[in-house]
């Protein structure tokens, strides 16, 4: 399970695929103060990135992955 | 096809033609700055227009042409014949693509390869490999020049590949993961992830629709990236660009940005900003206003057309258009306003004045019509026949004069200047003269003479033939001209003027002239004439033999002409239009062809004759005379009959026999004879009775009857009788 949805935290682990797009969207809509932990995320599908960008929630734990950290985080941080 | 696309097709054609004309002027006089600017402006506007429709190969090709021109304008490269050839080829390719676009709305499959080939050819003609590094920013990559220094730090001082990747909205369904694709870009120096539009509230988001755009720089060569993105070639644009070193001398990439450029870029950026529908709509209007003002202030009104076009399209296209505008002004000389001289092409544009005249006449007709019910009432009330007849005659007189004027007004609507058929000649002469190595100066005059649209359509082809023939056979090679004491540069004249109710076009050269003796020999050799017949011909008659099918005086068949089909086709086309061809030539001095055409084809002047109770017509242009010939004057040689007219022996034919009608058994003292000129061959035609001339509106034969080649058409005469117009050549 690449994304584990806990009560207030979504933990991204490994390669997160498009299959997670709908669950992630629903979860983000239902949780008041969602906490995003991308620490273990090694790959993020474009669709998930879109959901995160649209949600505009801060990322609590940035990903370790160089590509995500270097190029994707700055965009997520801006929102 | 959308109206926008239609407009694009129409406009690109005009732009390509304008560019071609300017290019020819430029080649003749490489110092002609107005021509450079005209050409540059045309290409630049075209580039903007193609960018609207996402036709990357087209845009790229035009851009390459623009680059070459920039080098010419800056004096880095001289305008050579070679370079002109390349550029003309580019314009031809463009024209072919536009034609294809009109039909199928897509570029041919090999468009990309062709564009590359053109690009490479131009680069070779410019001398040396000029990577796009020095040619400015390729279209669609304006953002590269705008990168903040911090972002392009890694790429500074290198030539890198810029990537603009706009994934299709439904790309997820195709299994694409654009972000993952970007992750795999080798030597990634920069990645910008942007949203194509504002984010909706999360509850309304469709996560399966991709709205992200990616902009990247990579140190890897373009080929490697092309391979990486091979799955999505339609969604990605790649270009090699040189990134200037940090804090370096003026960036060669986006040249020193003028204020206008900076402002335009900013407008494009504003348009791209996210926001609600209302916000973006308001912004769009403001941006359009601003861009229009900037263009006006810069004296670049000519480019406004591309902007207005883009303004009707989607926002992306508008952004692209503004970026193209920001890439640089098309012209440096604001003094030369854009004059699309050849606007009357293809689409028939009508003078408002001519339209108004038509309206006024229709109004008069309506008034005149009003007198008819009044006359009908008088007839019913039993007024005297004399008074009625008088009233009807008056009404007829009024209506007749209005109808006459109306006919004239309608004909005038269709009148177009001959420059329409003259303009392509410049290019033809230039190309042909270059190929044959004969320096030729083309003198065109009378292009403003007007003729009916149909006549122009028919005239185009014969004119090309005549000019080509003159170049190929008429004009001698420079050595022979020098030996003959003639100026090395030959003169080819094409002039038009109006003559008693018709249009005359003359094509003349100062070449070797036609050798009448050679024509005679050839005619005998091909079996068209016997040696005696040939010897009996006058010089003028011998010259006319060149119009016979299969007769060419040139020994070699070149790829241009000399197959002996040309002159025959010329005569055929001109005669179909109701005109005739004349030729005169003086050996060693030159040849002159004269095409005499009616002003219009709508109304044809016919000589009518009666034979076996039916009426037949012949175009007045072909009839040279009418005579009564006593029986005694007709000589018989077996079945062939002949008659002497004006000291010449003319074959005598009988229309009844030609039409397979029974012989005329009536007793007569002589025959009514019509003298007809069949392309140089006079023929006397016996008919039952000669009648008056008539102006008729000919209707071509349709359906099954169209196969009856002996008839040119039918017309209804004023008294309701039917006139059959004959095509005599087909009957013989």
């Amino acid at each position: 399970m690449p994304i584990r949805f806990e009560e207030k935290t979504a933990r991204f682990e490994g390669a997160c695929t498009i299959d997670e797009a709908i669950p992630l969207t629903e979860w983000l809509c239902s949780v008041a103060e969602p906490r995003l932990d991308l620490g273990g995320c090694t790959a993020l599908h474009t669709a998930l990135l879109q959901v995160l960008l649209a949600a505009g929630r801060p990322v609590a734990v940035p990903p370790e992955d160089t590509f995500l950290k270097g190029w994707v985080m700055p965009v997520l941080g801006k929102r | 096809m959308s109206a926008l696309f239609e407009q694009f097709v129409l406009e690109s054609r005009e732009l390509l033609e304008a560019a071609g004309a300017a290019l020819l002027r430029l080649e003749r006089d490489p110092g002609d700055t107005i021509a450079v600017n005209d050409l540059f402006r045309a290409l630049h506007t075209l580039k903007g227009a193609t960018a609207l429709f996402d036709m990357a190969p087209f845009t790229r090709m035009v851009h390459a042409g623009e680059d070459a021109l920039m080098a010419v304008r800056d004096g880095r490269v001289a305008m050579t014949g070679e370079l002109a050839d390349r550029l003309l080829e580019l314009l031809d390719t463009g024209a072919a693509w536009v034609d294809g676009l009109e039909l199928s709305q897509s570029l041919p499959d090999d468009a990309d390869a062709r564009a590359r080939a053109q690009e490479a050819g131009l680069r070779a003609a410019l001398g040396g490999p000029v990577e796009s590094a020095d040619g400015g920013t390729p279209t669609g990559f304006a953002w590269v020049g705008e990168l903040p220094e911090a972002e392009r730090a890694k790429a500074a001082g290198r030539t890198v590949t810029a990537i603009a990747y706009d994934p299709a909205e439904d790309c997820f369904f195709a299994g694409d993961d654009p972000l993952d694709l970007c992750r795999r870009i080798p030597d990634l120096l920069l990645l910008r992830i942007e949203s194509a539009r504002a984010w909706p509230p999360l509850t309304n988001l469709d996560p399966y629709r991709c709205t992200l755009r990616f902009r990247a720089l990579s140190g890897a060569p373009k080929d490697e990236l092309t391979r990486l993105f091979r799955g999505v070639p339609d969604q990605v644009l790649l270009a090699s660009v040189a990134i200037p070193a940090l804090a370096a001398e003026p960036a060669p990439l986006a040249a020193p940005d003028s204020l206008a450029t900076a402002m335009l870029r900013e407008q494009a950026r504003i348009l791209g900003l996210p926001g609600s529908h209302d916000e973006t709509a308001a912004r769009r209007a403001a941006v359009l206003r601003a861009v229009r003002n900037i263009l006006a202030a810069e004296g670049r009104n000519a480019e406004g057309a591309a902007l207005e076009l883009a303004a009707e399209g989607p926002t992306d296209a508008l952004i692209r258009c503004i970026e193209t505008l920001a890439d640089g002004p098309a012209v440096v000389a604001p003094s030369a306003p854009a004059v699309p001289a050849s606007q009357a092409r293809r689409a028939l544009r009508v003078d408002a004045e001519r339209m108004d005249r038509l309206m006024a006449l229709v109004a008069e007709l309506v008034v005149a019509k009003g007198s008819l019910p009044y006359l009908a009432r008088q007839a019913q009330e039993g007024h005297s026949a004399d008074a009625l007849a008088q009233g009807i005659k008056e009404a007829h007189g009024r209506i007749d004069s209005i109808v006459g004027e109306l006919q004239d007004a309608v004909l005038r609507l269709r009148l177009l200047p001959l420059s329409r058929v003259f303009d392509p000649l410049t290019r033809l002469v230039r190309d042909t003269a270059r190929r044959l190595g004969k320096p030729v100066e083309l003198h065109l005059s009378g292009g403003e003479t007007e003729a009916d649209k149909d006549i122009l359509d028919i005239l185009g082809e014969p004119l090309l033939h005549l000019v080509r023939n003159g170049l190929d056979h008429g004009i001698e090679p420079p050595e022979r001209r020098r030996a003959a004491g003639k100026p090395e540069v030959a003169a080819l004249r094409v002039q038009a003027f109006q003559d008693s109710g018709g249009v005359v076009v003359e094509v003349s050269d100062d070449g070797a002239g036609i050798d009448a003796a050679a024509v005679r020999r050839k005619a005998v050799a091909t079996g068209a004439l016997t040696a005696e017949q040939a010897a009996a011909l006058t010089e003028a008659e011998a010259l006319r033999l060149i119009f016979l099918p299969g007769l060419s005086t040139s020994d070699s068949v070149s790829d241009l002409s000399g197959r002996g089909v040309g002159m025959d086709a010329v005569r055929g086309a001109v005669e179909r239009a109701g005109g005739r061809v004349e030729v005169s030539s003086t050996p060693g001095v030159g040849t002159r062809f004269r095409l005499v055409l009616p002003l219009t084809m709508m109304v044809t002047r016919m000589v009518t004759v009666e034979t076996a109770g039916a009426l037949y017509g012949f175009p007045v242009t072909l009839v040279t005379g009418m005579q009564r010939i006593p029986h005694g004057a007709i000589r018989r040689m077996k079945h062939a009959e002949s008659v002497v007219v004006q000291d010449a022996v003319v074959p005598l034919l009988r229309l009844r026999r030609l039409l397979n009608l029974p012989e005329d058994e009536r007793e007569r003292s002589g025959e009514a004879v019509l003298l007809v000129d069949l392309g140089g061959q006079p023929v006397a035609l016996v008919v039952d009775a000669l009648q008056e001339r008539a102006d008729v509106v000919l209707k071509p034969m349709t359906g099954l009857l169209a196969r009856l080649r002996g008839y040119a058409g039918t017309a209804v005469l004023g008294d309701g009788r039917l006139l059959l117009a004959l095509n005599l050549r087909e009957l013989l």
Side-chain angles (χ1 to χ4, degrees):
Chain A
M1 192 71 181
I3 305 186
R4 279 191 289 138
F5 298 106
E6 298 168 9
E7 200 189 326
K8 290 210 160 193
T9 306
R11 266 184 233 288
F12 290 61
E13 281 167 9
C16 304
T17 64
I18 192 165
D19 300 334
E20 307 289 333
I22 296 288
L24 177 63
T25 313
E26 283 168 1
W27 181 80
L28 281 167
C29 287
S30 62
V31 177
E33 292 266 358
R35 193 171 166 275
L36 296 166
D37 178 352
L38 271 66
C41 182
T42 55
L44 189 68
H45 193 277
T46 317
L48 298 179
L49 173 61
Q50 285 196 143
V51 174
L52 292 179
L53 282 170
R57 298 293 181 180
V59 175
V61 184
E64 298 279 311
D65 177 74
T66 2
F67 175 78
L68 292 178
K69 195 162 75 183
W71 301 115
V72 179
M73 266 315 287
V75 195
L76 278 170
K78 257 191 250 167
R79 287 276 307 185
Chain B
M1 202 190 299
S2 74
L4 184 64
F5 195 80
E6 250 169 63
Q7 183 70 25
F8 164 77
V9 168
L10 211 71
E11 203 180 83
S12 341
R13 272 202 190 118
E14 282 175 5
L15 287 170
L16 284 166
E17 275 164 18
L23 184 55
L24 291 176
R25 273 189 290 145
L26 182 62
E27 195 195 8
R28 235 185 347 254
D29 176 12
D32 190 343
T33 47
I34 297 178
V36 184
N37 289 331
D38 281 354
L39 181 51
F40 200 80
R41 186 191 304 121
L43 283 184
H44 192 78
T45 315
L46 182 63
K47 185 175 87 170
T50 56
L52 274 183
F53 289 97
D54 239 350
M55 293 181 286
F58 207 153
T59 315
R60 171 191 297 143
M61 185 177 77
V62 179
H63 182 81
E66 218 185 9
D67 276 355
L69 248 120
M70 199 127 66
V72 172
R73 198 174 61 181
D74 300 348
R76 280 180 281 145
V77 176
M79 190 70 196
T80 58
E82 163 99 4
L83 183 57
D85 276 348
R86 291 280 179 197
L87 285 169
L88 284 171
E89 207 178 291
L90 185 148
L91 296 178
D92 288 347
T93 310
W97 284 356
V98 171
D99 289 347
L101 282 168
E102 191 178 23
L103 286 178
S104 65
Q105 306 198 32
S106 64
L107 290 175
D109 295 337
D110 65 342
D112 202 47
R114 296 269 310 262
R116 271 175 223 279
Q118 296 282 358
E119 227 176 336
L122 272 172
R123 218 171 279 144
L126 286 177
V130 190
E131 255 305 303
S132 46
D134 110 300
T137 322
T139 322
F141 289 98
W143 55 273
V144 178
E146 295 163 49
L147 289 177
E149 285 203 347
E151 289 202 11
R152 61 175 188 219
K154 277 203 216 167
R158 297 174 58 176
T159 295
V160 299
T161 307
I163 304 155
Y165 177 26
D166 295 359
E169 285 204 340
D170 56 359
C171 69
F172 296 159
F173 296 101
D176 290 351
D177 181 356
L179 189 60
D180 185 55
L181 205 51
C182 290
R183 179 195 284 272
R184 283 187 276 145
I185 295 174
D187 197 5
L188 184 64
L189 302 171
L190 170 83
L191 178 67
R192 286 176 124 197
I193 303 170
E194 299 161 354
S195 169
R197 62 175 89 99
W199 294 112
L202 201 51
T203 40
N204 293 345
L205 179 79
D206 177 0
Y208 290 141
R209 204 195 242 312
C210 181
T211 61
L212 289 177
R213 303 194 309 185
F214 299 86
R215 300 287 176 264
L217 292 180
S218 157
K222 198 171 154 185
D223 290 353
E224 200 176 330
L225 291 166
T226 311
R227 269 202 301 284
L228 175 65
F229 285 102
R230 67 187 178 279
V232 287
D234 53 331
Q235 300 161 29
V236 75
L237 274 178
L238 300 171
S240 296
V241 289
I243 305 290
L246 281 185
E249 60 286 7
L253 231 187
D257 274 5
S258 70
L259 182 60
T261 305
M263 281 163 74
L264 285 171
R265 291 244 159 83
E266 181 63 15
Q267 299 304 325
R269 197 187 64 79
I270 291 175
L271 263 187
L273 289 178
S276 75
H277 180 75
D278 287 350
E279 277 166 31
T280 47
R283 246 184 246 144
R284 191 185 163 103
V287 163
L288 273 175
R289 258 198 314 279
V291 174
R292 269 186 215 124
N293 289 340
I294 294 170
L295 287 182
E298 289 273 284
R300 289 162 65 185
N301 290 328
E303 292 163 75
L307 177 73
E308 298 309 324
L309 255 176
E312 291 170 32
T315 307
D316 301 4
L318 186 55
I319 293 178
R320 269 201 296 276
C321 172
I322 296 178
E323 279 174 357
T324 309
L325 289 173
D327 277 354
V331 224
V332 231
S335 57
V339 187
S342 51
Q343 285 220 328
R345 301 252 159 149
R346 296 181 203 261
L348 183 62
R349 298 187 192 191
V350 174
D351 242 11
E353 262 173 54
R354 292 181 175 179
M355 222 45 225
D356 290 348
R357 180 164 168 232
L358 205 56
M359 279 300 293
L361 284 169
V362 169
E364 276 183 49
L365 195 61
V366 169
V367 173
K369 184 192 73 176
S371 63
L372 295 178
Y374 170 74
L375 285 171
R377 209 163 43 241
Q378 280 193 324
Q380 227 162 18
E381 288 165 2
H383 280 253
S384 82
D386 278 354
L388 268 178
Q390 185 60 30
I392 291 173
K393 267 187 202 150
E394 273 170 24
H396 170 259
R398 269 198 305 277
I399 294 175
D400 187 50
S401 92
I402 297 170
V403 167
E405 281 190 55
L406 205 52
Q407 202 174 36
D408 182 63
V410 171
L411 289 184
R412 278 187 196 287
L413 282 186
R414 298 167 47 94
L415 289 187
L416 292 174
L418 278 168
S419 55
R420 261 167 61 104
V421 286
F422 278 14
D423 288 348
L425 295 178
T426 321
R427 171 76 189 276
L428 174 84
V429 169
R430 181 245 173 225
D431 282 359
T432 314
R434 241 176 95 73
R435 192 142 29 114
L436 296 172
K438 297 177 180 174
V440 175
E441 183 84 41
L442 174 69
H443 304 272
L444 290 172
S445 65
E448 69 286 346
T449 314
E450 290 187 321
D452 189 273
K453 188 177 155 295
D454 287 348
I455 299 278
L456 287 192
D457 287 346
I458 289 175
L459 189 60
E461 203 60 21
L463 208 52
L464 289 184
H465 266 303
L466 288 178
V467 166
R468 217 180 277 152
N469 256 307
L471 286 168
D472 202 15
H473 304 318
I475 290 167
E476 317 92 322
E479 322 78 74
R480 274 194 36 210
R481 291 185 66 88
R482 224 175 302 134
K486 289 190 195 180
E488 214 163 292
V489 179
L492 188 70
R493 281 192 176 71
V494 179
Q495 51 180 336
F497 51 90
Q498 245 177 45
D499 192 26
S500 60
V503 179
V504 179
V505 180
E506 286 186 353
V507 180
S508 54
D509 63 60
D510 65 347
I514 301 172
D515 183 356
V519 179
R520 278 199 186 93
R521 277 198 302 278
K522 185 85 182 196
V524 174
T526 53
L529 291 176
T530 65
E532 296 80 55
Q533 280 174 317
L537 294 177
T538 64
E539 292 292 293
E541 285 166 339
L543 281 183
R544 296 208 59 106
L545 290 173
I546 60 168
F547 293 117
L548 289 179
L551 210 92
S552 169
T553 54
S554 176
D555 296 328
S556 64
V557 170
S558 69
D559 66 330
L560 288 173
S561 43
R563 292 189 201 87
V565 286
M567 298 313 285
D568 177 38
V570 167
R571 191 193 61 183
V574 171
E575 285 180 3
R576 262 198 306 284
R580 62 174 197 273
V581 194
E582 292 165 8
V583 55
S584 62
S585 179
T586 314
V589 178
T591 307
R592 190 182 70 188
F593 287 94
R594 203 178 142 99
L595 311 183
V596 185
L597 291 154
L599 201 55
T600 167
M601 280 174 74
M602 217 172 103
V603 176
T604 319
R605 194 140 239 245
M606 289 273 180
V607 173
T608 58
V609 300
E610 194 244 290
T611 294
L615 279 179
Y616 299 95
F618 300 91
V620 167
T621 43
L622 292 183
V623 176
T624 52
M626 291 184 251
Q627 276 185 1
R628 278 206 83 79
I629 292 178
H631 280 297
I634 298 172
R635 312 178 190 181
R636 282 193 185 77
M637 276 274 291
K638 292 185 185 159
H639 284 298
E641 291 176 308
S642 62
V643 66
V644 176
V645 180
Q646 287 160 5
D647 300 332
V649 181
V650 175
L652 185 95
L653 303 166
R654 291 171 187 272
L655 189 56
R656 279 178 178 254
R657 285 187 199 158
L658 291 176
L659 296 172
N660 284 327
L661 297 168
E663 293 286 328
D664 193 359
E665 305 294 349
R666 288 172 292 172
E667 195 63 40
R668 281 155 308 148
S669 58
E671 302 282 8
V673 170
L674 198 63
L675 295 167
V676 185
D677 178 48
L678 285 185
Q681 285 180 303
V683 170
L685 189 70
V686 175
V687 298
D688 284 8
L690 296 165
Q691 305 250 348
E692 70 282 13
R693 294 170 183 214
D695 287 330
V696 298
V697 178
L698 260 196
K699 294 205 181 65
M701 300 291 218
T702 51
L704 282 176
L705 293 177
R707 276 188 246 149
L708 296 173
R709 303 191 44 170
Y711 298 95
T714 59
V716 178
L717 293 178
D719 54 8
R721 285 185 300 165
L722 190 73
L723 179 75
L724 279 166
L726 292 176
N727 187 342
L728 202 52
R729 194 185 312 285
E730 294 290 340
L731 285 176
L732 296 182

